[in-house]
Amino acid sequence: MKSTFAITLTLLSLVPLTFADETSDKLFRDLENQIAHAVIAKDTAQLNKLYADDYISVGGAGQIWSKAELIDALTRGKRAISAAQIEKITVRQYADTAIVVGFLTMSGKDADKDIGGRYAFTRIYRRDSGEWRAVSFQSTPVK
């Protein structure tokens, strides 16, 4: 009887963890899609909300962009993304920090250079005052 009770308690304690993982995956998948849509639409208000003030991005060719530089490049047309699809994300959450790893297939240009293709990426989020904001992004072209 005691072992049945202990097994039942153990199984019940695992249920909230499963739901928390599914919730985290959905939350960060939604955030990734919001970022992709904001970049395509050049929605600076949304990007300012989604990116932390100290956001930094490392592009597939090794260029480093601050939040201000990236938003400026998008709004001035130096960088234009016309389509973006997020795939196969994995989320690791550690208290108020989360690491999202996945694939991004996109179409776009950086100045006159075609930057379309498939990329593996890592984005790091930090929770501030209950809100998740991206703090770092790095992408690598998939050949």
Side-chain angles (χ1 to χ4, degrees):
M1 182 68 163
K2 287 182 182 179
S3 64
T4 303
F5 182 69
I7 291 170
T8 302
L9 282 178
T10 302
L11 291 173
L12 286 174
S13 70
L14 294 176
V15 172
L17 293 175
T18 302
F19 290 133
D21 288 342
E22 290 172 7
T23 301
S24 290
D25 284 354
K26 181 179 179 344
L27 170 74
F28 291 103
R29 181 176 305 283
D30 289 347
L31 285 169
E32 287 298 325
N33 285 324
Q34 288 175 38
I35 289 171
H37 291 301
V39 166
I40 292 166
K42 301 177 183 177
D43 184 343
T44 58
Q46 184 70 348
L47 290 171
N48 275 306
K49 177 183 170 194
L50 293 167
Y51 293 160
D53 290 339
D54 59 348
Y55 181 81
I56 192 158
S57 175
V58 180
Q63 68 278 35
I64 298 173
W65 305 72
S66 69
K67 173 184 175 177
E69 291 168 331
L70 186 57
I71 291 174
D72 184 61
L74 288 167
T75 56
R76 288 188 308 118
K78 181 177 186 243
R79 173 167 278 217
I81 307 302
S82 56
Q85 176 72 37
I86 305 295
E87 311 167 48
K88 299 181 183 177
I89 69 164
T90 301
V91 178
R92 298 287 184 262
Q93 186 175 340
Y94 307 96
D96 290 334
T97 303
I99 301 168
V100 176
V101 176
F103 291 96
L104 164 66
T105 302
M106 64 174 217
S107 300
K109 293 210 178 271
D110 186 7
D112 292 333
K113 183 178 178 192
D114 181 7
I115 57 171
R118 184 172 165 87
Y119 296 82
F121 75 89
T122 301
R123 191 177 323 261
I124 300 172
Y125 289 87
R126 177 181 63 224
R127 185 168 31 201
D128 287 322
S129 303
E131 295 291 322
W132 287 100
R133 300 182 81 198
V135 294
S136 181
F137 177 82
Q138 189 277 325
S139 64
T140 303
V142 176
K143 303 287 180 186

